[in-house]
Amino acid sequence: GYQVELDHVIVLSHYYNAGDTSVTEPILDPIVVAVMDKFVNTFAVAPQAEMTGPPEVTWPVLWKLGDTFVVWKTEMRLPIKELYTVQ
């Protein structure tokens, strides 16, 4: 058997409609913080994968989706190391 280690980054993209006047950047900030807290307090993403560093976040920015819709876009990046064992 042998073991394989894979290092990569999981990117989570998240969008809110900017046309909704009730959704503003200050309203989105606590949502982003809550999601980030979940990942910071989670050592393993799956049994064979663990985070190798702190998550990174791109705070909400206005973004044009499909050249049509203006949205608030947030990205979260999680550095991951996976260990696979083959028998």
Side-chain angles (χ1 to χ4, degrees):
Y2 59 92
Q3 291 183 339
V4 177
E5 283 188 4
L6 300 171
D7 290 310
H8 55 263
V9 176
I10 296 174
V11 178
L12 305 168
S13 297
H14 167 269
Y15 305 95
Y16 274 100
N17 185 355
D20 183 353
T21 57
S22 67
V23 177
T24 61
E25 189 174 354
I27 289 175
L28 295 175
D29 287 349
I31 295 170
V32 173
V33 169
V35 172
M36 293 300 288
D37 284 346
K38 282 289 188 189
F39 285 116
V40 167
N41 295 323
T42 303
F43 180 69
V45 176
Q48 73 275 15
E50 63 185 37
M51 290 183 14
T52 58
E56 298 175 25
V57 66
T58 301
W59 291 96
V61 293
L62 287 173
W63 185 266
K64 200 170 213 183
L65 190 61
D67 288 333
T68 305
F69 303 103
V70 178
V71 296
W72 289 102
K73 177 184 179 187
T74 304
E75 280 190 359
M76 294 169 228
R77 289 171 294 289
L78 307 171
I80 302 294
K81 178 178 283 202
E82 292 185 79
L83 175 64
Y84 291 101
T85 304
V86 178
Q87 300 284 334

